[in-house]
Each structure stands twice: as structure tokens, then as C-alpha cells.
Amino acid sequence: MGGLSLWHWLIVLVIVVLVFGTKRLGNVGKDLGEAVKGFKKGMHDEDDKPSAQLRDDSRDAGQQSSDTANKQDDRTPR
């Protein structure tokens, strides 16, 4: 009573093909493939953006620390 054998899966496959038809199943497969490609592209594009932002943030942090140093210099009496 454990798992399903190969024959059980073949019967399920035949029933699914009879219910949905090969044309609809082909469209579902095509849509699923496009979704996977879009997901992979999105993950690849997302990896590129944070590294660029990190470099910009580090430049901004350097700019802010130099601005802070200049402000502190202006506060010192002459």
C-alpha cells in the first residue's frame, strides 16, 4: 500500500491527457517554461543591482565622513 508504481503513474498520465487534451497541456508546459526563464533572468538581474548600490553607498559614506570632518574643522576656534 506504500507508494505508487509505474503503472499507477501511467494511468494517471493517460487520464490527465484525456481530461485536458494535448493542446492545453502543451500550452501549460510552454507557459511554465517561460515563467522559469523569467524567474532565472530576474534572479540574475537582481544580483547585479545590489553590488552597484553597494559601491554607490560606499562612495556616499566616504563623502559624508569627509563632510563631517569639514564641519568639525569649521567649529574649531581660530
Side-chain angles (χ1 to χ4, degrees):
M1 285 191 79
L4 297 175
S5 69
L6 177 64
W7 291 108
H8 290 112
W9 285 113
L10 288 175
I11 292 170
V12 169
L13 179 65
V14 168
I15 292 171
V16 168
V17 169
L18 289 175
V19 170
F20 293 108
T22 56
K23 186 175 182 179
R24 185 179 286 177
L25 289 176
N27 290 339
V28 169
K30 180 182 175 185
D31 292 342
L32 184 63
E34 289 176 1
V36 169
K37 285 181 185 179
F39 178 76
K40 286 181 179 179
K41 182 181 178 188
M43 291 299 291
H44 179 70
D45 290 345
E46 189 173 307
D47 289 342
D48 294 341
K49 291 178 184 177
S51 62
Q53 288 176 348
L54 210 94
R55 284 187 235 134
D56 291 341
D57 291 342
S58 64
R59 276 191 245 144
D60 291 342
Q63 181 68 24
Q64 288 174 355
S65 62
S66 65
D67 290 344
T68 305
N70 290 339
K71 287 180 184 178
Q72 290 175 353
D73 289 342
D74 292 342
R75 292 186 207 160
T76 57
R78 294 182 187 185

